[in-house]
Amino acid sequence: MNAAQTTVSSLAPRTWGIWTFGEQIDDDLLDRMPALRCVVNFGVGVDGIDRDCLERRGVAFAWPVGANAEAVADHAMALLLAVTHRIVEND
């Protein structure tokens, strides 16, 4: 076990909330986190999060739907401009 895993293992039993970017949240993890009351996911997908498991345990779950919409739109426009103006070819 590396230093980060050791730290997480020592903190897990008393952690009441976690902020995730799409990591796997399931029964195995929740068994090690009896004090957990809230999971907030800032990733785009929630496929790795067992929401039924969270609900059974009374753990609240939230994610900011559309929070990155403006950044995605900006990136899409930048890509369109790059293709239209052949920026990559001329770089």
Side-chain angles (χ1 to χ4, degrees):
M1 189 179 296
N2 65 33
Q5 291 169 327
T6 301
T7 300
V8 169
S9 293
S10 68
L11 295 174
R14 60 181 193 254
T15 299
W16 57 267
I18 54 175
W19 177 350
T20 175
F21 288 91
E23 288 80 14
Q24 187 75 26
I25 307 292
D26 56 14
D27 274 320
D28 181 49
L29 177 67
L30 296 178
D31 285 343
R32 293 179 278 148
M33 303 182 88
L36 190 65
R37 296 293 168 254
C38 178
V39 174
V40 179
N41 181 53
F42 281 92
V44 174
V46 294
D47 294 343
I49 298 172
D50 187 345
R51 291 188 280 172
D52 292 333
C53 173
L54 294 174
E55 188 175 333
R56 277 193 315 273
R57 294 171 182 252
V59 177
F61 176 69
W63 76 99
V65 177
N68 64 347
E70 187 174 339
V72 171
D74 290 346
H75 191 78
M77 289 304 299
L79 290 172
L80 285 169
L81 290 170
V83 169
T84 305
H85 294 280
R86 304 171 85 171
I87 290 172
V88 175
E89 279 182 40
N90 298 322
D91 190 17

